[in-house]
Structures are given as structure tokens and as C-alpha cells.
């Protein structure tokens, strides 16, 4: 039988390992990323920008873009995918802030709330919000352009920490009542995992999912038998790559050069064709 001190030692080692691993989501050094690696945070699934292919690898437009940036910096690329029911898209900015990743490539819209905490590259993609429904849904908007009034009495599901959530908060006031933003009400379900959003939508737990239109189209393409995009909310968003506030690693000049050169050379259109065919 083990002595009490020995058992205590084993327990404290286990606790230390658990803490080290959970901290690994937030700090780069604890996972031992070498200096010659650009660690890029993303959040799957968000097709076609980032999603897992059949082999389980994270691929997509954003990942190719991140690879171009890593190449230009002469660094290896490591993708850190923050996705799941607990740590999701909304953990990306805090993780960047604490140095857990060097850059975010996650279809992240440039906006003033975020620029208080992070710096963005020049824009690389334009998007609106989309309304994803079950294929047999009767939900519709005139000419596919939806307004707040069309969503009255409709049960909505959104991803936490996104501009979809901000749209709901500013356009359907009173709907989001939970301060932690994780409670479902009669009108809304808020979760951090887009896989779960699609599952709940298909199961009829919500009538519509509000998410970026290109990703809504991406999901509809993956499950054309059961999903369709019923309309859009005009939000005029632009995606940027994201670095720490003040750009302490001086990445932005190269990132912006890469985006400019991709667009100038026609390589950008090739990537669009590759991922959006
Ligand atoms: N563009 C939206 C935003 O910035 C949604 C992005 C979601 N991205 C993702 N990888 N899940 O809030």
C-alpha cells in the first residue's frame, strides 16, 4: 500500500499536469512551440475558411492564407484549432492576448470593439450574415434580404462571441438576457460550437441559425439534402487576420504585403476558386 505522502505526491503531480495542459490552450510556451513556428489560432468548423477534411486535418481558405504568411516569414506553420463546447471562437482573442497563438485566421470580422484588444490586417474577404434553415423550412424574406422584423417569433441559434451575436443584440433588443451569454431562452440558443449549432438546427431545436453567409453556404453545400440558406442580413463585414495589440512581433507589414501580393498576382482568385468552387 502507498503511504499518505506518496499518494499526496501523486495527486499533486496529476493536478499539476492537468493545470499545465489546460493552460496550454492559452500559453504557447507550455506546449513547446519552437521559435521558428508561426502558431495560428482558428476555430472549426467554418467552411470553407476552416474545417476538418476526411483525414481530420484542418484545411480551408484561411489555412492556405496563414500558410502564405508563414512562408513569407520563413516560419513553419502550426494550426491551433479552438473548437468545442467549452473553448471556441470566443476564446481566440484571449488566447492571442496571452501569447497562446501568434495570429488568428478565423474569418474574423474587423470591428471597433475588437480593435481595442487586437490589431487587424488589411481586409481579405467581404461578408454579410446569412440565415441557414432546414431545407423544408417555410422561413423566407423578400428577395432573400432579411430584416429584424422577419425574425420576430422565430427561434434563433447563434455562435457565442461572433458578429452574429452582436447583430442579434443590436437589432433584436431584449432577446439576450443571460449575462454569461450561454443560456438558451424561448427565443435564442447560444453555443460556442458550430457543429452543435448545425445539429440543433437539424433536430428542430431552433428555426434558423444566423451565421456568416459564406459559412452558411458552406454548411448548406455539405448537407444539401437537409439545409439551405434562406436569406441574408446586410452587415457589410470584412475579414482580417489578427495579431496582438500593438503588433509586438511586427507581423503586420508582412501579413499585409502577402494579402496585397496575393490579390495583385491572381493567386487570391485561385484560392477563391479552390475553396468556393
Ligand atoms: N465573422 C464572424 C465574426 O467575426 C464570425 C466568424 C466565425 N469564425 C469561425 N471560425 N467560427 O464574429
Amino acid at each position: 500500500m502507498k503511504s499518505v505522502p506518496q499518494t499526496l505526491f501523486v495527486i499533486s503531480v496529476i493536478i499539476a499536469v492537468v493545470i499545465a495542459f489546460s493552460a496550454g490552450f492559452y500559453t504557447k510556451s507550455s506546449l513547446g512551440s519552437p521559435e521558428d513556428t508561426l502558431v495560428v489560432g482558428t476555430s472549426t468548423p467554418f467552411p470553407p475558411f476552416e474545417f476538418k477534411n476526411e483525414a481530420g486535418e484542418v484545411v480551408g481558405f484561411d489555412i492556405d492564407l496563414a500558410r502564405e504568411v508563414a512562408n513569407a516569414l520563413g516560419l513553419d506553420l502550426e494550426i491551433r484549432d479552438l473548437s468545442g463546447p467549452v473553448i471556441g471562437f470566443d476564446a481566440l482573442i484571449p488566447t492571442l492576448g496571452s501569447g497562446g497563438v501568434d495570429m488568428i485566421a478565423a474569418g474574423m470580422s474587423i470591428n471597433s470593439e475588437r480593435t481595442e484588444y487586437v490589431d487587424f490586417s488589411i481586409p481579405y474577404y467581404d461578408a454579410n450574415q446569412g440565415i441557414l434553415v432546414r431545407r423544408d423550412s417555410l422561413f423566407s424574406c423578400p428577395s432573400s434580404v432579411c430584416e429584424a422584423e422577419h425574425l420576430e417569433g422565430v427561434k434563433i441559434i447563434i455562435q457565442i462571441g461572433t458578429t452574429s451575436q452582436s447583430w442579434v443584440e443590436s437589432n433584436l433588443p431584449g432577446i439576450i438576457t443571460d449575462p454569461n451569454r450561454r443560456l438558451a431562452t424561448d427565443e435564442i440558443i447560444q453555443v460556442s460550437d458550430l457543429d452543435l449549432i448545425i445539429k440543433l438546427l437539424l433536430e428542430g431545436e431552433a428555426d434558423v441559425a444566423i451565421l456568416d453567409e459564406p459559412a452558411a453556404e458552406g454548411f448548406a453545400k455539405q448537407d444539401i439534402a437537409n439545409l439551405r440558406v434562406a436569406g441574408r442580413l446586410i452587415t457589410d463585414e470584412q475579414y482580417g487576420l489578427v495579431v496582438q495589440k500593438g503588433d509586438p512581433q511586427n507581423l503586420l507589414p508582412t501579413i499585409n504585403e502577402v494579402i496585397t501580393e496575393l490579390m495583385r498576382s491572381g493567386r487570391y482568385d485561385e484560392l477563391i476558386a479552390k475553396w468556393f468552387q
Side-chain angles (χ1 to χ4, degrees):
M1 216 174 82
K2 283 185 178 138
S3 66
V4 171
Q6 216 182 342
T7 312
L8 281 181
F9 175 74
V10 171
I11 291 174
S12 53
V13 168
I14 291 171
I15 292 173
V17 168
V18 168
I19 292 173
F21 268 91
S22 40
F25 280 110
Y26 294 99
T27 63
K28 187 172 158 183
S29 55
S30 63
L31 288 186
S33 295
E35 282 309 305
D36 55 2
T37 302
L38 182 74
V39 181
V40 174
T42 194
S43 182
T44 64
F46 193 68
F49 295 93
E50 43 266 350
F51 58 100
K52 287 190 180 149
N53 66 13
E54 271 141 43
E57 300 150 346
V58 178
V59 297
F61 184 90
D62 280 340
I63 310 306
D64 280 357
L65 191 56
R67 189 170 300 109
E68 298 279 348
V69 170
N71 286 345
L73 292 162
L75 300 173
D76 290 337
L77 175 66
E78 180 186 326
I79 296 293
R80 199 158 289 173
D81 181 18
L82 271 53
S83 67
V86 183
I87 305 235
F89 178 79
D90 59 329
L92 283 169
I93 288 184
T95 300
L96 176 71
S98 63
V101 295
D102 302 309
M103 182 179 96
I104 298 171
M108 193 174 274
S109 306
I110 302 169
N111 68 29
S112 54
E113 287 100 76
R114 289 174 177 158
T115 47
E116 276 183 39
Y117 303 101
V118 295
D119 284 350
F120 282 95
S121 70
I122 56 172
Y124 67 87
Y125 195 85
D126 296 342
N128 288 301
Q129 291 297 303
I131 299 195
L132 185 67
V133 296
R134 290 181 298 283
R135 181 151 281 283
D136 62 5
S137 161
L138 298 177
F139 181 88
S140 74
C141 308
S143 317
S144 296
V145 177
C146 305
E147 310 276 350
E149 65 196 63
H150 302 117
L151 290 160
E152 264 167 41
V154 170
K155 183 145 180 186
I156 299 169
I157 188 162
I158 46 152
Q159 186 177 32
I160 292 168
T162 59
T163 46
S164 322
Q165 178 167 30
S166 322
W167 185 90
V168 168
E169 284 179 345
S170 9
N171 292 277
L172 305 172
I175 275 204
I176 295 192
T177 50
D178 167 44
N180 292 319
R181 302 173 157 195
R182 283 180 194 265
L183 276 186
T185 67
D186 287 348
E187 294 142 330
I188 192 144
I189 305 176
Q190 307 154 76
V191 292
S192 68
D193 185 7
L194 264 167
D195 267 331
L196 183 58
I197 288 179
I198 301 301
K199 180 173 178 282
L200 294 174
L201 178 66
L202 288 171
E203 286 173 354
E205 295 294 326
D207 304 313
V208 304
I210 301 182
L211 68 160
D212 294 25
E213 191 180 16
E217 293 287 358
F219 281 112
K221 213 182 267 177
Q222 285 178 356
D223 190 359
I224 206 147
N226 297 305
L227 292 170
R228 68 185 175 86
V229 178
R232 67 171 60 95
L233 300 158
I234 306 293
T235 51
D236 286 329
E237 296 171 51
Q238 292 189 307
Y239 297 167
L241 297 175
V242 194
V243 298
Q244 279 191 343
K245 188 79 204 153
D247 190 19
Q249 302 187 71
N250 197 29
L251 300 173
L252 276 183
T254 309
I255 294 174
N256 287 338
E257 238 169 70
V258 165
I259 296 173
T260 308
E261 180 54 23
L262 284 176
M263 291 181 171
R264 196 202 57 77
S265 67
R267 172 101 182 102
Y268 180 89
D269 294 333
E270 281 170 30
L271 289 180
I272 292 287
K274 171 178 174 191
W275 293 109
F276 290 79
Q277 359 89 11

